[in-house]
Amino acid sequence: MANFRADIFYLMIFVIVLGNTACAAPLPMIPQTAQTILVEAWQADQNAVWEIKWEAMPIGGAVVAETWRMGKKYRLEILESAAPALIGETLIFDGQQGWQYNRLAESVTPMPSFTLSPVTDAFGMIDQLLTTPPKTACQQQTSLLDGAKSRPAQEITLIFENNSKQLTFWLDPKTKLPLQIKFVIKGQEGWLKARRSEPLIHPPDGLFKKRLFP
């Protein structure tokens, strides 16, 4: 009889815990409001180091890139890649013109460019979804693992027509910047995970200027 009562007790505890977990389900949001929050987070002045990977990425492995964004200006540098030739490749856009060069080279003439594949490919997919009207949206408070620790995050998901496209941001509650991004387009899933992310307040001189080589 004692064992039976103990089993009932633990069963009740399990039901209570299960009920509390169910209460943490995502809450619906007004789609346009959710999209505005994500656009502001994505376009905010920021410096981040992103680990980028999606199933159809042509180089067969993750790419790590550092990015700086201020208004319409941006700078991208590839730090790690499964394709060694990509390491050091840099793209600068000063708001009107863009240039690409390898920052590790000693003597290279910057070439006019507005893309740096596969980094700008992934960013383009996010930009595409952020300009597409979502069908539904939801949010929840969650956490992300940061090494051996976890950090709080606000998770916001946009779901588009026919459920064939989806975009999820995990935002830092303090800075409102993205810590992690997941996009799904026609079954193709991609991830961006921030190794570091912070507001860009005082950019170094020349950060968004064309580099001149001797």
Side-chain angles (χ1 to χ4, degrees):
M1 180 64 70
N3 290 339
F4 175 77
R5 290 178 179 174
D7 290 343
I8 292 296
F9 174 78
Y10 287 115
L11 178 60
M12 291 175 64
I13 294 296
F14 174 76
V15 170
I16 292 172
V17 172
L18 184 62
N20 289 338
T21 303
C23 291
L27 300 175
M29 295 184 69
I30 298 174
Q32 293 76 14
T33 300
Q35 188 172 42
T36 297
I37 292 173
L38 299 193
V39 168
E40 291 178 351
W42 180 241
Q43 295 182 353
D45 297 346
Q46 58 189 287
N47 171 219
V49 175
W50 290 106
E51 182 177 346
I52 306 168
K53 187 174 183 180
W54 75 91
E55 297 167 356
M57 194 153 65
I59 63 173
V63 168
V64 176
E66 185 166 9
T67 67
W68 295 262
R69 181 197 295 266
M70 176 162 279
K72 294 183 179 181
K73 301 177 182 180
Y74 59 81
R75 180 189 184 101
L76 314 176
E77 294 184 6
I78 295 181
L79 307 179
E80 302 174 22
S81 172
L86 286 177
I87 298 175
E89 285 298 306
T90 300
L91 176 66
I92 298 174
F93 181 70
D94 66 1
Q96 295 181 333
Q97 295 179 299
W99 302 275
Q100 182 180 344
Y101 65 91
N102 193 302
R103 65 181 180 81
L104 302 179
E106 295 182 358
S107 178
V108 178
T109 301
M111 301 296 293
S113 178
F114 292 92
T115 61
L116 180 54
S117 184
V119 179
T120 52
D121 298 339
F123 289 0
M125 292 182 184
I126 295 170
D127 289 335
Q128 174 188 335
L129 292 175
L130 287 176
T131 57
T132 302
K135 180 180 179 182
T136 59
C138 60
Q139 68 170 330
Q140 64 177 332
Q141 300 302 316
T142 184
S143 60
L144 296 174
L145 286 177
D146 185 5
K149 301 179 181 180
S150 63
R151 58 189 302 181
Q154 180 187 18
E155 179 181 335
I156 298 179
T157 298
L158 306 179
I159 300 174
F160 301 87
E161 196 67 36
N162 301 323
N163 296 325
S164 61
K165 298 179 181 179
Q166 183 173 314
L167 180 64
T168 302
F169 275 45
W170 286 262
L171 302 177
D172 185 314
K174 294 182 179 180
T175 66
K176 307 302 181 183
L177 296 178
L179 300 172
Q180 182 170 278
I181 301 172
K182 175 186 176 183
F183 61 81
V184 179
I185 299 180
K186 296 182 180 179
Q188 183 182 139
E189 183 176 299
W191 288 87
L192 284 78
K193 298 181 181 180
R195 294 185 177 179
R196 176 173 57 78
S197 177
E198 59 189 11
L200 182 60
I201 301 174
H202 301 295
D205 292 339
L207 182 64
F208 304 110
K209 293 182 179 180
K210 178 181 177 181
R211 177 179 172 183
L212 299 177
F213 290 84

